[in-house]
């Protein structure tokens, strides 16, 4: 009955995106069946250090029966000190007994479940014939989004990687991604073209599905560029004031949330709602409602669809459970009787 | 730069009550200087499991520069399953960099810092000539309170151990405590008489200082029994509805809090304030204010003094730092690069 301690490297070795996709989908469904609780966010800004921390926690029932938390720290000045600017740990408890079952690095799991979330939005809402994906933001999240989306939608054969803030990063990613997908995610992307772009317009005009994963605080994708039938999975906006899409894209779009209350407060829809361009009442539902067929998805090939995902700690929990089970099976990690 | 993992047994081996007393006193002072933040409590009741969890977190500045959290789980049905009903883990981070420095069992540290808190109240407020201590509640907290108080007030030569709910437990503790103090806390109590009592009255009538550590929800100590000049450190009341003292004891007493807002909400003073027997405005100050001489302590030998302590996570943090430093010095625990 020990607690399994897993490092980032160990998690990376034992966790498979296919398992995470399945778990994230299950947790979205459990949430829509009322089988989960997101506990209140605790966050703080360290003024002198120009840093921030947040504590996310929650409880997922059903087959999972897990609760726990993660504390994430963002200390940008660490880069100068040769330390990682982001880091965090999570704790996972068995909700049948309250006993801790795992303590682990939170960063890789966060990336995995975020990749899964974006891809589940694409898979559930993009046109069935979607062939061109665009990723806005070539940072550390991009490979996870691409891997998960190619697993769910293997007919995608072109991926635009757009980074208006750091174009060299987009080029580097486009050059290495096929190999990284193979090595890190066991995804064969030999039939996919990866194209780096500095500006979003060309890619948006052609994309069937767009995933946004930047820290932008003003729109980087304009409504005029969007062709009919495009799907957007918006992952970047998870704090007040963040925004990646032109508000007008919301007009007439079918909009889904991972958690309605949280998306209204801090998601991509926050600013369109504040400006009156979009109304909360016009949200079709949560993604879990769609996955359990409580609400309808895309109605035709000309509609714009938007999945606003702000991140749910219960996704991390389910992904962590996979990591714990796989690590135990592989005899990996250190188990400690605390 | 690894994270040190410490089990309950390891913490027990490396941590000394004298160090914890010093740290807890420092943290109370830092709090009164505005050098700490208690972050919002997150708690939850698992209805079906008849269980509860809470997440306490905070940040202490000054020489400490630490932040972190602990999650405590209370699953009473575990006893039938042969599992501990209470358990919890804590995480400690360096607030200069946000890097985790320790992950450890939370239970022993909680006991240590709670013992230190009760004793610091006695030392700061009991009459200088106090010789008789009474502990109400012979459960797991009692030895920590006795150890810490005897360290700070070595002239105490009589300790009443009172447990109206479980008298055999009081007898057992009175029989073993001298040895436990020696072995576990390195405290020589060979000159102290330990007397078990089932009822509080005799002991209260004689006590110079009283520490309460029960889960009572109605008064167990009546005002009529209290002699002039008695000090009370009230540790048991840390949730709404808990109460150990007759409200009338508050009338005319000099009352101090560990955290005024928290004590008013859930401390020993909650009910006296709600009933109008005592007023928030009449709190003299926080214990830290007293320790930095911002407010006055006992004014004469006839006054009743009360220290209402509901528990502060920042105390755990400082105690955890001691445990980490001592464990490193003793080459104990496992250090993992997460």
């Amino acid at each position: 009955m020990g607690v399994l301690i897993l490092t980032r490297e160990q998690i990376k070795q034992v966790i498979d995106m296919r398992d995470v996709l399945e778990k994230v989908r299950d947790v979205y469904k459990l949430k829509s069946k009322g089988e989960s609780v997101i506990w209140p966010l605790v966050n703080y800004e360290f003024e002198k250090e120009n840093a921030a921390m947040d504590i996310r926690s929650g409880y997922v029932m059903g087959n999972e029966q897990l609760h726990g938390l993660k504390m994430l720290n963002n200390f940008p000045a660490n880069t100068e000190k040769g330390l990682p600017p982001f880091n965090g740990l999570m704790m996972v408890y068995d909700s049948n007994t309250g006993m801790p079952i795992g303590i682990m690095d939170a960063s890789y799991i966060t990336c995995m479940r975020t990749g899964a979330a974006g891809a589940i939005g694409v898979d559930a809402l993009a046109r069935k014939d979607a062939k061109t994906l665009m990723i806005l933001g070539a940072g550390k999240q991009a490979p996870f989004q691409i891997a998960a989306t190619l697993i769910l939608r293997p007919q995608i054969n072109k991926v635009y990687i757009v980074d208006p803030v750091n174009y060299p990063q987009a080029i580097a990613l486009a050059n290495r991604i096929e190999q990284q997908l193979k090595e890190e995610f066991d995804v064969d992307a030999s039939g996919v073209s990866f194209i780096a772009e500095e500006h979003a317009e060309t890619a948006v005009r052609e994309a069937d599905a767009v995933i946004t994963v930047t820290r932008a605080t003003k729109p980087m994708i304009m409504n005029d560029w969007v062709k009919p039938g495009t799907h957007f999975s918006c992952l970047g906006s998870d704090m007040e004031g963040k925004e990646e899409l032109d508000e007008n894209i919301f007009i007439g779009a079918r909009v889904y949330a991972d958690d309605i209350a949280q998306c209204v407060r801090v998601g991509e829809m926050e600013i369109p709602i504040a400006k009156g361009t979009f109304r909360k009442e016009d949200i079709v539902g949560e993604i879990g409602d769609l996955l359990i067929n409580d609400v309808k998805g895309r109605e035709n090939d000309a509609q714009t669809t938007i999945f606003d995902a702000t991140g749910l700690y219960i996704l991390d929990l389910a992904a962590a459970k996979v990591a714990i089970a796989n690590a135990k099976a592989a005899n990996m990690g250190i188990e400690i009787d605390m």
Side-chain angles (χ1 to χ4, degrees), chain A:
Chain A
M1 286 301 299
V3 183
L4 189 67
I5 318 280
L6 293 173
T7 67
R8 182 184 160 93
E9 279 312 309
Q10 289 166 336
I11 294 167
K12 197 168 164 176
Q13 282 178 58
V14 298
I15 205 167
D16 188 286
M17 183 59 92
R18 291 156 189 86
D19 295 336
V20 175
L21 281 161
E22 194 180 318
K23 283 290 180 178
V24 167
R25 209 186 265 116
D26 286 349
V27 171
Y28 280 145
K29 290 180 185 176
L30 286 170
K31 180 176 192 305
S32 285
K33 292 174 188 162
E35 303 252 335
S36 72
V37 191
I38 313 285
W39 292 327
L41 173 71
V42 176
N43 57 3
Y44 184 74
E45 301 211 351
F46 298 85
E47 271 181 42
K48 206 175 58 189
E49 293 78 7
N50 186 28
M53 80 87 214
D54 58 54
I55 303 168
R56 291 171 195 270
S57 59
Y59 170 37
V60 57
M61 298 165 231
N63 292 330
E64 302 293 341
Q65 269 292 97
L66 295 173
H67 66 280
L69 60 81
K70 67 176 172 182
M71 178 182 263
L72 291 180
N73 287 305
N74 182 4
F75 279 63
N78 277 4
T79 310
E80 295 152 33
K81 301 174 189 166
L83 294 172
F86 283 99
N87 72 75
L89 299 174
M90 65 183 287
M91 296 175 171
V92 185
Y93 293 78
D94 176 343
S95 307
N96 293 305
T97 60
M99 300 292 289
I101 57 174
I103 299 169
M104 64 200 78
D105 168 76
S107 62
Y108 197 77
I109 283 178
T110 302
C111 289
M112 288 292 275
R113 62 86 162 156
T114 307
I120 286 169
V122 171
D123 189 42
L125 290 165
R127 290 199 328 272
K128 290 303 157 208
D129 61 354
K131 293 218 157 37
T132 303
L133 172 68
M134 165 184 156
I135 305 288
L136 181 70
K140 69 176 174 159
Q141 250 304 302
F144 296 89
Q145 298 291 338
I146 296 169
T149 307
L150 291 180
I151 289 168
L152 294 182
R153 288 291 190 105
Q155 79 279 22
I156 287 173
N157 58 20
K158 191 191 275 189
V159 178
Y160 282 105
I161 298 171
V162 181
D163 202 318
V165 175
N166 189 343
Y167 180 46
Q169 183 171 257
I171 296 171
L173 181 60
N175 287 337
R176 77 161 194 269
I177 185 70
E178 187 184 327
Q179 197 185 342
Q180 187 178 356
L181 288 169
K182 188 80 216 154
E183 289 173 5
E184 197 170 328
F185 301 97
D186 195 24
V187 169
D188 176 7
S190 56
V192 183
S193 329
F194 295 95
I195 303 157
E197 292 279 352
E198 183 166 8
H199 304 293
E201 183 171 351
T202 314
V204 173
R205 288 191 182 278
E206 201 183 321
D208 302 311
V210 175
I211 297 178
T212 62
V213 280
T214 74
R215 300 177 207 285
T217 50
K218 55 188 178 197
M220 304 187 79
I221 296 178
M222 304 317 296
N223 188 37
D224 287 351
W225 308 340
V226 179
K227 73 175 185 185
T230 305
H231 167 74
F232 295 89
S233 283
C234 300
L235 284 295
S237 292
D238 60 352
M239 295 203 310
E240 265 178 57
K242 280 192 180 177
E243 183 179 35
E244 301 178 284
L245 303 189
D246 180 346
E247 294 100 63
N248 294 311
I249 297 174
F250 277 82
I251 299 171
R254 282 184 75 76
V255 177
Y256 302 80
D258 59 354
D259 178 86
I260 290 176
Q262 191 166 290
C263 287
V264 168
R265 208 173 63 247
V266 298
E268 186 63 40
M269 64 179 69
E270 173 211 348
I271 292 169
I273 289 174
K275 290 195 175 169
T277 316
F278 181 68
R279 301 185 317 157
K280 185 183 168 187
E281 302 76 60
D282 293 333
I283 299 168
V284 178
E286 294 192 348
I287 191 81
D289 303 338
L290 174 60
L291 295 174
I292 62 171
N293 297 314
D294 246 27
V295 300
K296 275 172 63 180
R298 166 180 293 281
E299 295 165 318
N300 60 57
D301 281 355
Q303 269 173 332
T304 297
T305 52
I306 300 176
F307 172 39
D308 188 355
T310 47
L312 300 176
Y313 175 68
I314 50 173
L315 304 181
D316 300 71
L317 270 177
K321 193 178 181 181
V322 172
I324 292 168
N326 292 357
K328 284 193 173 178
N331 217 359
M332 198 178 278
I334 299 176
E335 202 164 342
I336 297 181
D337 193 350
M338 299 292 288

